[in-house]
Amino acid sequence: MIAYISDIFGNSVLEAVALTSQESLILLTILAIGSALTGGLPILSSPLFEFSLNKAFILSLFFLRSQDPTVYFAFASILAGIMLRRTVSGREFWRYVTTGITMVVFLNYGPALYQKFQPGVQDQIAIITVIPIMIFFEIIINTVYTRKGSHINILSGIILISYIAAIPLSIMIVIMVIHQGILGAALAFAGLTGFSFIGRSINRKHQWNTQRIMEISRQDRMAIRLMGSSSYEEFLGVLQNSLFETEGSSIRALTRSSGSYDWVLWSTDEQQSLQESSIIGTLPAKGRFTRDFTVKSISGTALGLSDNGDLIIVLSGPEQNILQSISSGLLENLVLLLGNTWEAVGHSLRSERSFLAAAVTLARLADSKDNYTHGHSLRVAGLSCSLGRYLHISTENMQILRVAAILHDIGKLVIPAAILTKRGLLTRKERGIVEAHPVEGARIVSGLSGYEEVARIIKSHHERLDGTGYPDGLCNVDIPFMTRIIAVADTFDAITSDRSYRSISGSDNALEVLREEKGSKFDSRIVSALEAILSDESAGMA
């Protein structure tokens, strides 16, 4: 192979083709321009690696003539490629200039150094001998510039493949120059640069499609998370975490108010009513941006989400312009997504509020059947929610807990008032009627779509850990955790309230009863949480 290459190159290829000094400079110029174009506009460029055909042109420059002025043409091609990169894409040029200059230095000085140890070896053969060392140094340079050094195996393979492709191509250029001179160089230039541009175009189209698919997928995942929001504050929190990669940036929503104020400003932790004078800047149309938009001293970039201008999001901080880098088509999708999900969450909240209002009315109606239990269901709901927050129940489960606690005694609507208000001991039959209220309550709620878990909790709120409860005698893990919370809150309120079958007892007595039965009838962790909550309240009052 070495002998074959030696026959091809001879001592001096430019002498072999008998070119004049002017023709030699033209040939070197053509190849240098090819190196600048293919290096400045690589086929593939990413933070991990890149691929271009400039190595083939640079190798061919030194294969053709290893002496001056080849090295100057090679350096010029690297510098021209840098300028082209900075003008067109502005990325990855430091790695390009480092590897390019290293390659030129090795190709210029490496063969001479090798020939000191192996006198008489042709320049072109010495260049081939230097290439493995050059590959090793390029791997090191790319590893340094790569964000994750763990990709060294991938980098090594890609760089090796790029040289395996570049060496035959450079030999092909040399052969074309030997047979056709400047015309051969021009044909090689046209073929390789044309192939490079076509490959670059295909790769950029592929990258664009990949980024579009990734962005659409990201928006789909975002939509699912946003639709699960139980409040506007949570909605903005999800959106903020989805959009921003670093701390310091925030997002707010601005909605038109139907009350005495003109606008409402929403953030991840609060809402504020504003007058029109608090807003500085042009209100953006749907899908349009307004820079330097200020709301109550908060300055950022505003994006319109509605046709009538009633819904605007304001991004502030270092990443406030992140959405402006999205293509127009994907931005339109995002605007529709955010506008529709905001409206859906608002509709859900309004529906939830209407349902809770109806649930409170029903609970009060059930409580009103017994003169001694007015407000019992709402007190149980309040204490249950306090326990739920203390025990870090999720937002979704908190809503289930709240509704189940409000409606836990709704089954009493079907119990005759005479039994509920009867003083003294109940007969066995009357006791059976009273103990049927969890089943009746679950039956009433089970007709509501999406409230199956609420019905399950209502049915089991008189179950006890030791299996002595009713109606099914469930025990331990068979009793839902949120049911155990309501059971503790219900028992505490029952003991501390004035009931027809129990005298007034203070919270200390109620806690004593719960302590005695924790672990056997009531969940120990929940009873301990109740103690902590009451202790904090007492300390606050003191």
Side-chain angles (χ1 to χ4, degrees):
M1 178 66 181
I2 299 295
Y4 176 71
I5 294 175
S6 178
D7 292 338
I8 292 176
F9 290 118
N11 291 323
S12 176
V13 176
L14 290 183
E15 293 178 2
V17 294
L19 293 177
T20 65
S21 177
Q22 182 178 3
E23 290 174 324
S24 174
L25 292 177
I26 294 174
L27 188 147
L28 293 176
T29 301
I30 292 173
L31 298 181
I33 293 174
S35 170
L37 290 176
T38 55
L41 301 172
I43 296 175
L44 175 62
S45 180
S46 72
L48 178 59
F49 62 87
E50 69 175 34
F51 180 76
S52 69
L53 296 179
N54 74 311
K55 289 184 175 66
F57 284 104
I58 291 178
L59 284 171
S60 65
L61 282 170
F62 283 92
F63 279 146
L64 287 168
R65 179 188 294 230
S66 58
Q67 304 86 9
D68 296 337
T70 300
V71 65
Y72 303 117
F73 277 88
F75 273 126
S77 73
I78 299 297
L79 295 176
I82 295 171
M83 299 303 297
L84 192 58
R85 285 187 179 225
R86 297 195 66 167
T87 302
V88 176
S89 62
R91 58 180 295 187
E92 303 299 332
F93 58 88
W94 285 117
R95 179 172 60 185
Y96 166 73
V97 68
T98 307
T99 55
I101 291 177
T102 300
M103 184 177 182
V104 172
V105 169
F106 266 91
L107 291 176
N108 188 61
Y109 298 104
L113 183 63
Y114 178 75
Q115 287 170 336
K116 288 185 178 180
F117 298 97
Q118 295 289 333
V121 175
Q122 295 180 13
D123 293 340
Q124 290 76 16
I125 302 302
I127 290 173
I128 294 176
T129 308
V130 169
I131 287 178
I133 303 174
M134 192 165 59
I135 293 173
F136 174 75
F137 274 89
E138 186 162 339
I139 290 173
I140 294 176
I141 293 171
N142 277 271
T143 303
V144 171
Y145 278 100
T146 302
R147 296 173 185 174
K148 297 180 180 179
S150 59
H151 295 296
I152 186 170
N153 293 334
I154 299 175
L155 280 171
S156 301
I158 292 170
I159 293 171
L160 184 60
I161 291 173
S162 70
Y163 274 96
I164 291 175
I167 293 173
L169 289 174
S170 62
I171 295 175
M172 180 197 73
I173 294 173
V174 171
I175 293 173
M176 293 180 71
V177 170
I178 291 174
H179 290 283
Q180 299 293 332
I182 293 176
L183 177 61
L187 290 174
F189 167 85
L192 291 185
T193 55
F195 176 81
S196 179
F197 291 160
I198 292 172
R200 176 181 172 84
S201 176
I202 293 173
N203 181 63
R204 287 171 66 86
K205 184 69 173 177
H206 172 72
Q207 288 182 329
W208 184 85
N209 287 331
T210 301
Q211 291 173 355
R212 181 179 178 84
I213 292 171
M214 291 176 62
E215 177 62 24
I216 291 174
S217 176
R218 187 178 73 90
Q219 291 185 13
D220 287 343
R221 294 192 300 271
M222 185 193 302
I224 294 172
R225 292 194 294 268
L226 291 174
M227 286 298 293
S229 303
S230 60
S231 66
Y232 287 137
E233 292 81 2
E234 184 180 352
F235 179 99
L236 292 172
V238 171
L239 183 57
Q240 183 168 305
N241 292 333
S242 300
L243 291 181
F244 301 135
E245 296 180 357
T246 59
E247 296 183 359
S249 298
S250 61
I251 187 165
R252 293 170 176 82
L254 195 61
T255 60
R256 221 176 264 282
S257 173
S258 58
S260 57
Y261 289 89
D262 298 316
W263 294 90
V264 177
L265 180 65
W266 304 85
S267 66
T268 56
D269 53 6
E270 64 176 346
Q271 66 180 82
Q272 303 176 58
S273 298
L274 306 175
Q275 299 290 357
E276 193 84 36
S277 58
S278 301
I279 300 174
I280 301 174
T282 304
L283 298 178
K286 184 177 181 179
R288 301 293 183 181
F289 292 98
T290 297
R291 291 178 177 242
D292 301 323
F293 190 85
T294 303
V295 185
K296 282 199 67 175
S297 74
I298 301 167
S299 182
T301 300
L303 172 63
L305 298 183
S306 63
D307 294 317
N308 53 14
D310 289 349
L311 176 58
I312 298 167
I313 60 171
V314 182
L315 297 86
S316 58
E319 296 181 86
Q320 62 180 272
N321 296 319
I322 190 170
L323 296 181
Q324 292 177 264
S325 61
I326 301 177
S327 65
S328 58
L330 292 176
L331 179 62
E332 182 179 351
N333 289 342
L334 181 62
V335 168
L336 289 173
L337 182 154
L338 295 180
N340 291 335
T341 50
W342 179 274
E343 182 61 30
V345 169
H347 178 75
S348 175
L349 291 174
R350 290 189 291 272
S351 299
E352 198 67 52
R353 292 190 189 104
S354 299
F355 176 79
L356 286 175
V360 168
T361 301
L362 290 173
R364 285 175 174 167
L365 182 60
D367 289 347
S368 69
K369 296 192 70 175
D370 183 349
N371 293 331
Y372 296 97
T373 59
H374 281 305
H376 166 70
S377 295
L378 296 184
R379 290 194 300 272
V380 171
L383 184 54
S384 295
C385 289
S386 295
L387 289 167
R389 284 189 291 271
Y390 187 89
L391 295 166
H392 305 292
I393 299 297
S394 68
T395 302
E396 181 181 357
N397 284 335
M398 279 294 295
Q399 188 67 0
I400 294 173
L401 179 65
R402 180 181 293 108
V403 175
I406 291 173
L407 296 177
H408 77 282
D409 273 346
I410 194 174
K412 289 183 177 180
L413 287 172
V414 302
I415 299 176
I419 296 178
L420 285 176
T421 58
K422 179 180 177 180
R423 293 183 178 276
L425 296 175
L426 299 175
T427 66
R428 182 177 297 178
K429 182 178 180 181
E430 290 170 338
R431 172 62 63 183
I433 293 173
V434 171
E435 292 183 354
H437 80 272
V439 176
E440 293 296 334
R443 182 181 59 80
I444 293 170
V445 176
S446 62
L448 299 172
S449 177
Y451 286 86
E452 294 80 7
E453 183 64 18
V454 172
R456 182 178 172 220
I457 293 171
I458 290 174
K459 182 180 179 182
S460 58
H461 76 275
H462 275 292
E463 301 286 0
R464 298 295 178 258
L465 295 181
D466 58 5
T468 60
Y470 60 87
D472 298 321
L474 301 178
C475 60
N476 297 323
V477 294
D478 293 332
I479 305 173
F481 185 68
M482 287 185 287
T483 297
R484 301 180 218 172
I485 293 176
I486 294 176
V488 170
D490 184 33
T491 302
F492 179 83
D493 189 75
I495 296 174
T496 56
S497 300
D498 189 0
R499 308 283 292 262
S500 61
Y501 50 87
R502 185 173 285 119
S503 61
I504 298 176
S505 297
S507 61
D508 290 341
N509 290 339
L511 274 177
E512 187 60 33
V513 171
L514 290 169
R515 287 194 195 101
E516 291 177 357
E517 296 181 337
K518 75 175 181 179
S520 58
K521 292 186 178 181
F522 301 105
D523 191 301
S524 300
R525 186 153 61 108
I526 298 171
V527 174
S528 297
L530 178 61
E531 292 179 288
I533 290 172
L534 294 176
S535 176
D536 290 342
E537 290 180 354
S538 298
M541 293 177 64

